[in-house]
Amino acid sequence: MARRPVTRAAPVVPVAILPSSGRVVAVIVGLEMYQTRSSGALSRVHYARRDAEGFGEALRGIYGEDRLDLELLVDNDATRGNIEYSLRQAIASLGEDDLFVFYYAGHGFHSAGGNRITAWDSHAHNPEGTTLLLREVLLDPLTESDCRRALAFVDACAADFRPLVRARDVVSDLSGDELAEFLTSASYCALFLSCEPGQKSYPSDELRHGIWTHFLLQALRGEAEGALGPGRFLTDAGLRDYLRREVPAYLTRSTERRQRQWPQAMISASNTFAIREVPERRAPLATAGDLRRISLAPIGEYLEGVESGRIRSLPGFSRSRGHFEPDSINDHATGFVRDLLAERIDEEIQELYDTVKSSFGLRRREISRESGDGQGSLDTEYFRFSIDTRQDQSDPASFVIIRRLVLRGESHEHREEIDDTFGPMFERIVVKVSPDALSYDTLVDLFEDMEEALGGQLRDEEHLKRITYTAPDGTRIRFDVGAGRVSLSGGGRQLVSALLDRAHQYRFGLAGPSQLLLA
């Protein structure tokens, strides 16, 4: 049967809601590390630098380099003097058609004088004298400038941030040109905050971002369908409601924190305004690695390596002692396999334990170790490693040894140590999802498009509900729809870093955190 032709649409280009003569002037501040002092030093703000850099990339994606004047200040560049000077110069340069954008990630607090943000050289023992009053450096200068459009995003602990004006219009039943005109005619000043007064703004090791900033970036990049309104516009109200919905839900779903974090927004506007428009994605594939049409919400993920062989080849197997190869799958045969492999597995766990102590510099109490009966595991704050042994389900006379590695916390900062510990042990990355989240027909259509447009080879096995696409570079992506299992492999057993690099060539539409995949 002849293949249907693939319609290739032009690459998606974000549409900025801004007059054609307007510029976008942005000042972005990320304070992860503060000046080191013997006393009065401020604590680290995890992922603040990555948050700031990600926000800058999101703006470039919306407005492009030609219209964007962006200054990024991170860590020791973000001194009190530099922040104050950059804001003053940027705001003074604004015309009435320009858009001003300010982003801040770091420590913030409220004092008698108002709301303050810290700088690299802020001192905990003299906060009023070494921090910046937000009203003085941002809000008042904007009010006095010619600027009619300003957006500010503050990912910090909040207290008593107050809006200038609460009254506003809302989007009515407008469509087409009327909707676009309505959303672009506004003058506005909006301040989006990561939490309410008295609350903390939390980071996530899984997301490797501040939680609020993670969802903010998803919305700005056009990856959050739930934030879009009529005409696929991301409006001030849509962004406000999306953040207020998703951030608390993530804290409840994915962390053990009992504290609350409720994002808020203070908006002064002549009517509802659009931050950006997100066109429909008509192209089945933008690039070879773009799989964002496949939305995955991982409920488990790990690296996996499988070793197999004939049971009769195992040390300890002896026909003279009455041993024989089983001809069926049963608990007795599985126990026999584990008995034959028990000593080998115990030795492997011991060797890995010794290597982990040396490579990571960990003490005994920082490593949980178990082994026995042909099984074993090692647990640290960076990973969980496990070994299981059993009969091969497809061949009763064979055994399999299954090794799995679950990465945890800031394991990305210890890739060299992980490679040194495990070597080329694993051959695939596995992500478990809800089977209901995968559509067999949709996946086949997408990979048929990929096969025709980019090459490679597709095999769809409907009776097994299994789809396997082998890319031109040898990467194999397999979807076991019925089991809710997605795997990426290619090149045999490899170092952990090599497998991650191979997987990171592909970007999925992640609907939840992942240590192994990129969104």
Side-chain angles (χ1 to χ4, degrees):
M1 183 175 69
R3 289 274 179 93
R4 55 182 173 77
V6 176
T7 302
R8 300 192 191 184
V12 173
V13 179
V15 179
I17 309 303
L18 195 67
S20 59
S21 60
R23 299 177 304 138
V24 180
V25 179
V27 176
I28 301 173
V29 179
L31 279 157
E32 182 158 346
M33 306 300 296
Y34 287 82
Q35 186 175 25
T36 302
R37 292 187 171 96
S38 57
S39 66
L42 295 176
S43 61
R44 178 183 179 185
V45 179
H46 291 278
Y47 307 114
R49 180 175 185 134
R50 195 164 186 265
D51 289 344
E53 292 170 345
F55 188 87
E57 288 303 313
L59 290 188
R60 291 186 182 96
I62 298 173
Y63 300 108
E65 296 285 357
D66 293 341
R67 303 185 73 185
L68 181 62
D69 181 2
L70 184 152
E71 182 163 12
L72 176 65
L73 301 172
V74 294
D75 292 347
N76 61 334
D77 286 333
T79 63
R80 183 170 179 268
N82 282 349
I83 296 173
E84 189 171 10
Y85 178 80
S86 296
L87 285 172
R88 183 170 64 250
Q89 293 296 106
I91 294 172
S93 73
L94 296 169
E96 66 176 20
D97 286 342
D98 296 335
L99 168 65
F100 177 71
V101 182
F102 175 68
Y103 175 88
Y104 177 87
H107 287 302
F109 70 100
H110 182 76
S111 70
N115 300 290
R116 292 183 173 274
I117 56 174
T118 56
W120 178 75
D121 48 355
S122 293
H123 200 294
H125 295 164
N126 181 23
E128 280 77 11
T130 60
T131 57
L132 297 159
L133 195 60
L134 200 61
R135 185 187 66 251
E136 290 182 351
V137 298
L138 181 68
L139 302 180
D140 288 349
L142 280 172
T143 301
E144 296 166 3
S145 74
D146 295 330
C147 178
R148 297 172 56 240
R149 299 174 179 86
L151 296 171
F153 304 88
V154 178
D155 193 346
C157 299
D160 273 355
F161 282 91
R162 300 184 185 278
L164 299 175
V165 179
R166 292 183 182 273
R168 51 172 299 102
D169 294 334
V170 296
V171 175
S172 55
D173 292 330
L174 300 178
S175 60
D177 294 339
E178 288 180 310
L179 178 63
E181 182 179 355
F182 178 80
L183 294 172
T184 58
S185 64
S187 60
Y188 53 82
C189 180
L191 176 60
F192 292 86
L193 299 161
S194 60
C195 55
E196 289 184 343
Q199 295 179 345
K200 292 183 178 181
S201 184
Y202 294 104
S204 167
D205 291 333
E206 291 181 312
L207 301 175
R208 297 176 62 197
H209 276 296
I211 296 171
W212 179 80
T213 291
H214 167 79
F215 289 104
L216 170 65
L217 295 181
Q218 280 201 329
L220 292 178
R221 292 192 299 246
E223 298 169 0
E225 293 290 324
L228 303 181
R232 297 184 62 79
F233 285 103
L234 175 66
T235 66
D236 55 324
L239 178 59
R240 176 200 63 201
D241 294 344
Y242 174 74
L243 294 174
R244 196 165 178 84
R245 180 175 66 248
E246 294 299 326
V247 172
Y250 177 83
L251 277 166
T252 300
R253 180 179 68 248
S254 302
T255 74
E256 297 179 357
R257 300 187 189 278
R258 295 184 179 180
Q259 298 90 339
R260 293 186 176 184
Q261 180 179 343
W262 292 96
Q264 57 178 329
M266 286 99 183
I267 302 166
S268 171
S270 58
N271 53 259
T272 297
F273 61 89
I275 297 171
R276 67 162 298 181
E277 180 187 0
V278 181
E280 289 281 0
R281 300 183 187 277
R282 295 185 177 86
L285 197 66
T287 65
D290 188 352
L291 298 177
R292 284 175 292 180
R293 286 177 59 193
I294 303 174
S295 181
L296 300 178
I299 57 178
E301 55 180 7
Y302 47 85
L303 295 101
E304 183 178 71
V306 178
E307 177 186 350
S308 63
R310 302 292 291 187
I311 294 174
R312 66 169 179 257
S313 69
L314 292 174
F317 182 91
S318 172
R319 293 190 183 278
S320 63
R321 297 170 58 187
H323 295 164
F324 61 90
E325 290 183 317
D327 56 8
S328 64
I329 306 293
N330 56 72
D331 292 341
H332 177 76
T334 295
F336 177 53
V337 167
R338 288 177 172 167
D339 286 343
L340 293 176
L341 286 167
E343 183 177 353
R344 174 181 168 183
I345 301 306
D346 290 344
E347 291 176 356
E348 182 172 338
I349 291 294
Q350 180 64 49
E351 290 176 5
L352 287 172
Y353 170 79
D354 293 338
T355 305
V356 168
K357 289 186 69 176
S358 174
S359 295
F360 287 86
L362 298 178
R363 298 173 68 90
R364 178 178 178 272
R365 65 173 177 268
E366 296 174 297
I367 308 171
S368 175
R369 170 179 54 170
E370 294 183 4
S371 68
D373 299 323
Q375 298 169 295
S377 66
L378 288 174
D379 268 293
T380 75
E381 63 178 304
Y382 306 113
F383 64 81
R384 171 178 168 78
F385 171 76
S386 63
I387 302 179
D388 188 20
T389 59
R390 58 174 179 256
Q391 279 181 284
D392 188 333
Q393 297 299 299
S394 62
D395 181 2
S398 295
F399 70 90
V400 292
I401 303 174
I402 302 170
R403 298 174 176 88
R404 290 177 176 171
L405 181 69
V406 177
L407 299 183
R408 291 173 168 167
E410 297 186 10
S411 58
H412 57 278
E413 296 181 0
H414 298 275
R415 289 177 72 171
E416 184 175 343
E417 291 90 341
I418 288 173
D419 281 347
D420 288 343
T421 299
F422 297 103
M425 182 181 292
F426 306 102
E427 59 204 32
R428 67 179 65 90
I429 284 174
V430 177
V431 179
K432 299 288 290 183
V433 300
S434 169
D436 295 337
L438 300 176
S439 167
Y440 183 84
D441 292 337
T442 299
L443 288 169
V444 171
D445 284 344
L446 185 145
F447 283 106
E448 283 180 342
D449 290 340
M450 183 182 289
E451 182 183 31
E452 294 187 15
L454 303 168
Q457 185 175 17
L458 172 68
R459 178 179 174 83
D460 61 287
E461 303 167 275
E462 188 167 8
H463 64 294
L464 297 175
K465 292 296 180 184
R466 186 168 66 193
I467 300 159
T468 306
Y469 172 72
T470 305
D473 69 350
T475 300
R476 188 174 72 175
I477 305 172
R478 171 171 287 177
F479 286 81
D480 289 296
V481 174
R485 175 183 162 112
V486 184
S487 64
L488 291 92
S489 61
R493 294 181 189 171
Q494 301 168 59
L495 296 174
V496 170
S497 60
L499 269 173
L500 291 174
D501 288 342
R502 181 180 287 269
H504 289 175
Q505 298 176 78
Y506 299 87
R507 289 182 176 269
F508 292 85
L510 291 178
S514 173
Q515 283 273 16
L516 306 183
L517 303 180
L518 290 180

